[in-house]
Amino acid sequence: MIRKATQADVPVIHRLVEHYARKERMLHRSLEDIAEHIRCFSMAEDGGRAVACSALHVYAPDLAEIKSLAVDEAFTRRGLGAGLVHYQLEEAAALGIGRVFALTYEAPFFEKQGFHLSDKQGMPEKIWRDCMYCQKYDDCDEVCVAIDIDTRRPASVLPVVDG
Ligand SMILES: CC(C)(COP(=O)(O)OP(=O)(O)OC[C@H]1O[C@@H](n2cnc3c(N)ncnc32)[C@H](O)[C@@H]1OP(=O)(O)O)[C@@H](O)C(=O)NCCC(=O)NCCS
């Protein structure tokens, strides 16, 4: 089951994100930051327990980012990551946002969800705000992936074919 997060999920999100942040797979987020942005987050449950999270951050009227996508390592490869991505794409489409991107080390996973490699430099300057706090600022090996979605069909997110 995939659902929106509530404040009760904050410690779970923090644990999931910190697990991968310690491995330098994603950026650290404080409990305060997560609580402040709780409306961005969605959760995936397995057996009634929240075991994965993801956030959709809106940057511009037509641009959002999937951030802090983290699946408990004991629950990977069960479709939860893909389920969260598609839930957030539907959310973006429902908001009328036609382009969603992610900065990631997991490009093949995102490509399986319909994303394509994109030019990081082409993204607006404000997406670099987080990068300023990253230890890898001068030596970043994340790639940018993006997908264009059809905002006319929010209930069924489809990549836009030929504009
Ligand atoms: C990457 C991650 C989100 C994948 O989550 P998951 O729940 O294991 O993925 P799913 O089970 O939904 O996999 C969906 C598809 O992607 C594939 N896939 C999953 N992880 C993959 C990877 N690392 N590389 C390539 N393909 C991958 C699956 O095999 C599956 O393929 P299929 O549709 O052909 O069966 C998860 O491993 C994770 O949290 N990683 C660490 C944090 C991270 O890097 N997050 C992304 C930051 S933006």
Side-chain angles (χ1 to χ4, degrees), residues 79-91:
L80 298 179
L84 276 166
V85 166
H86 288 277
Y87 188 85
Q88 305 234 270
L89 291 179
E90 298 235 347
E91 208 173 7

Side-chain angles (χ1 to χ4, degrees), residues 13-161:
I13 296 170
H14 188 250
R15 181 181 57 77
L16 288 165
V17 170
E18 280 307 293
H19 174 78
Y20 289 113
R22 276 195 296 272
K23 296 181 168 193
E24 299 192 351
R25 305 302 290 171
M26 62 176 55
L27 289 174
H28 292 276
R29 296 192 70 161
S30 67
L31 284 164
E32 294 75 15
D33 177 44
I34 294 164
E36 189 182 329
H37 294 98
I38 195 66
R39 289 193 337 170
C40 298
F41 279 93
S42 297
M43 309 299 296
E45 291 184 358
D46 185 290
R49 189 159 74 89
V51 293
C53 64
S54 179
L56 183 77
H57 185 93
V58 177
Y59 276 102
D62 202 36
L63 184 68
E65 178 183 8
I66 290 184
K67 294 171 83 162
S68 306
L69 168 63
V71 180
D72 185 320
E73 270 180 321
F75 293 86
T76 55
R77 305 280 175 156
R78 298 183 188 193
L80 298 179
L84 276 166
V85 166
H86 288 277
Y87 188 85
Q88 305 234 270
L89 291 179
E90 298 235 347
E91 208 173 7
L95 290 168
I97 295 169
R99 184 152 228 248
V100 177
F101 73 95
L103 297 173
T104 185
Y105 300 105
E106 300 288 356
F109 162 77
F110 279 97
E111 285 174 319
K112 284 200 162 175
Q113 314 315 318
F115 286 70
H116 54 84
L117 289 174
S118 183
D119 180 12
K120 212 172 3 177
Q121 305 302 333
M123 294 292 168
E125 216 167 278
K126 59 184 170 181
I127 78 163
W128 303 107
R129 202 171 34 199
D130 284 348
C131 302
M132 288 163 58
Y133 303 105
C134 180
Q135 314 163 20
K136 295 186 177 179
Y137 182 79
D138 290 324
D139 187 25
C140 177
D141 46 1
E142 278 187 323
V143 296
C144 183
V145 291
I147 186 169
D148 293 315
I149 53 179
D150 188 344
T151 54
R152 293 165 301 179
R153 301 190 54 183
S156 130
V157 175
L158 300 171
V160 175
V161 180

